[in-house]
C-alpha cells in the first residue's frame, strides 16, 4: 500500500436481509467495516433519512452509499416515478453524507425514463456532487421460456458501458449470472469504476451474492488490480446471508467477507 488512504470497505444493508437496516449498522460496527450502503427497499428504516442518520450516529458507522430503489419489488418506494426516486436517492445521499448513489439501468418498458436517463444522471451529478454509479446487470429467463433462454430486462443492455457514464458500479454476482468477464468489464469501465459490489457466484443464471471466495469470480484478482491501479473508490460487501441458520453463522460469513476484502486490498 502507498501513503494514500485505504480503500473503504462497507457493508450493504441488503447483506442482513430479512433483518432490518439497524442490524447492518450494528454488525458493521462490531466487525470493523468502514461504513454501510443503504439499500432502499421495503424496510421502513431504509426509507427514513432521519432514522438512518440516528443509526449512523449511534453506532459510529457512516453511510458510504445509497442504493436507489431500482429493483422490481421497489418500484413504488418513495414514488412510482423513477425520476423522483433517483432524485430522492441523491437528496438522501446528501443528507447522510454519502459519496455515491448506486442505480440500475432503466427497465426496457420505462421508455420516457430511459430516453432521459443519461441526461438526468449527468444533471444530478453536476448539481449535487454525488457520484451516480450505474450498475451492470444480468439477463433473466422469461416466463415460459426454455431453460437456456435469457432476455435483458434493461435498456439498452445489461452493460452500462454500452452507453457510457461518468461513474459505474461493478457487481461480481451480476457478472457471474451474466457469464461476463468481470476483469474485462472493469477495464471497459476504466477510471469511471468508482464502486464495487463485492460478492461471488458460480455462473448459474441467478443472482447468488455468495461470500467472496466461494464461487468462480475473480474477486481476489480484481481487488489486487484495483489497488495496483490506484483505485480511489469504495468496496461494498453485498452478500446473501438469508440462509444463515443462526446469528453466529451470519456474523461469521460477514467477518469472512470483510477479511477477504481487506487481505486482497493489502490492508
Amino acid at each position: 500500500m502507498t501513503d494514500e488512504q485505504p480503500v473503504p470497505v462497507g457493508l450493504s444493508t441488503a447483506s442482513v436481509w430479512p433483518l432490518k437496516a439497524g442490524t447492518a449498522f450494528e454488525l458493521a460496527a462490531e466487525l470493523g467495516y468502514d461504513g454501510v450502503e443503504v439499500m432502499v427497499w421495503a424496510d421502513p428504516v431504509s426509507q427514513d433519512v432521519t432514522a438512518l442518520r440516528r443509526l449512523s450516529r449511534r453506532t459510529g458507522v457512516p453511510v458510504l452509499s445509497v442504493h436507489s430503489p431500482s429493483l422490481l419489488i421497489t418500484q413504488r418506494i418513495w414514488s412510482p416515478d423513477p425520476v423522483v426516486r433517483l432524485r430522492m436517492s441523491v437528496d438522501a445521499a446528501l443528507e447522510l453524507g454519502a459519496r455515491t448513489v448506486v442505480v440500475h439501468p432503466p427497465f426496457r418498458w420505462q421508455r420516457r425514463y430511459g430516453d432521459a436517463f443519461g441526461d438526468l444522471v449527468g444533471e444530478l451529478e453536476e448539481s449535487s456532487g454525488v457520484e451516480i454509479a450505474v450498475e451492470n446487470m444480468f439477463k433473466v429467463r422469461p416466463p415460459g421460456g426454455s431453460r437456456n433462454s435469457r432476455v435483458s430486462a434493461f435498456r439498452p443492455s445489461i452493460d452500462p458501458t454500452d452507453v457510457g457514464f461518468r461513474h459505474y458500479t461493478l457487481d461480481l454476482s451480476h457478472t457471474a449470472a451474466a457469464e461476463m468477464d468481470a476483469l474485462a468489464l472493469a477495464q471497459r469501465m476504466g477510471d469511471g469504476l468508482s464502486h464495487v459490489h463485492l460478492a461471488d457466484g458460480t455462473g448459474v443464471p441467478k443472482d447468488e451474492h455468495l461470500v467472496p471466495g466461494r464461487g468462480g469470480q475473480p474477486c481476489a484478482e480484481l481487488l489486487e488490480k484495483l489497488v495496483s491501479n490506484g483505485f480511489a473508490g469504495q468496496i461494498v460487501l453485498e452478500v446473501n446471508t438469508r440462509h444463515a441458520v443462526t446469528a453466529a453463522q451470519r456474523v461469521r460469513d460477514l467477518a469472512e467477507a470483510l477479511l477477504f476484502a481487506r487481505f486482497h486490498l493489502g490492508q
Side-chain angles (χ1 to χ4, degrees):
M1 291 293 290
T2 68
D3 293 334
E4 296 177 357
Q5 289 295 315
V7 175
V9 181
L11 176 67
S12 170
T13 59
S15 296
V16 304
W17 188 85
L19 303 180
K20 306 299 184 183
T23 301
F25 279 87
E26 292 162 2
L27 288 176
E30 176 184 339
L31 295 172
Y33 280 83
D34 297 314
V36 300
E37 174 172 299
V38 174
M39 171 69 83
V40 181
W41 55 6
D43 175 8
V45 172
S46 74
Q47 306 169 30
D48 186 336
V49 172
T50 300
L52 292 167
R53 189 187 301 113
R54 190 179 304 120
L55 275 171
S56 180
R57 288 174 177 169
R58 179 169 62 81
T59 59
V61 175
V63 177
L64 301 178
S65 48
V66 173
H67 195 309
S68 182
S70 306
L71 303 172
L72 273 175
I73 61 172
T74 62
Q75 292 300 291
R76 292 192 174 274
I77 300 296
W78 282 344
S79 170
D81 186 339
V83 174
V84 174
R85 291 199 300 272
L86 184 53
R87 289 187 182 279
M88 291 183 69
S89 300
V90 172
D91 289 343
L94 286 171
E95 292 189 53
L96 294 166
R99 166 180 166 175
T100 304
V101 165
V102 176
V103 66
H104 295 175
F107 288 114
R108 291 172 62 182
W109 53 86
Q110 294 173 317
R111 294 186 179 180
R112 185 178 302 175
Y113 177 54
D115 288 343
F117 184 68
D119 290 339
L120 175 65
V121 167
E123 171 214 318
L124 290 173
E125 287 194 315
E126 286 295 330
S127 63
S128 69
V130 172
E131 296 177 357
I132 301 178
V134 185
E135 187 171 9
N136 63 293
M137 301 305 295
F138 56 96
K139 294 182 178 181
V140 296
R141 185 168 65 185
S146 68
R147 185 181 183 87
N148 295 321
S149 64
R150 294 289 181 269
V151 297
S152 170
F154 300 95
R155 179 180 180 185
S157 77
I158 60 174
D159 182 351
T161 67
D162 287 345
V163 175
F165 296 94
R166 189 179 301 175
H167 297 103
Y168 299 101
T169 296
L170 173 59
D171 186 305
L172 281 91
S173 178
H174 293 178
T175 56
E179 298 184 314
M180 294 176 71
D181 184 327
L183 297 177
L185 179 56
Q187 187 170 9
R188 291 198 299 278
M189 290 177 170
D191 292 340
L193 174 54
S194 62
H195 201 75
V196 174
H197 280 168
L198 184 61
D200 215 331
T202 61
V204 297
K206 65 178 182 178
D207 200 9
E208 295 176 284
H209 283 283
L210 303 178
V211 171
R214 297 184 185 178
Q217 289 298 287
C219 298
E221 187 176 354
L222 174 71
L223 294 178
E224 290 163 7
K225 281 183 176 293
L226 290 176
V227 171
S228 67
N229 292 335
F231 179 70
Q234 300 171 323
I235 306 295
V236 168
L237 273 299
E238 192 181 66
V239 298
N240 178 0
T241 65
R242 69 177 181 270
H243 298 304
V245 177
T246 64
Q249 182 181 342
R250 176 176 286 106
V251 170
R252 286 195 296 271
D253 285 348
L254 296 180
E256 178 184 330
L258 177 61
L259 179 62
F260 182 101
R262 292 217 189 280
F263 178 81
H264 292 288
L265 288 168
Q267 299 176 4

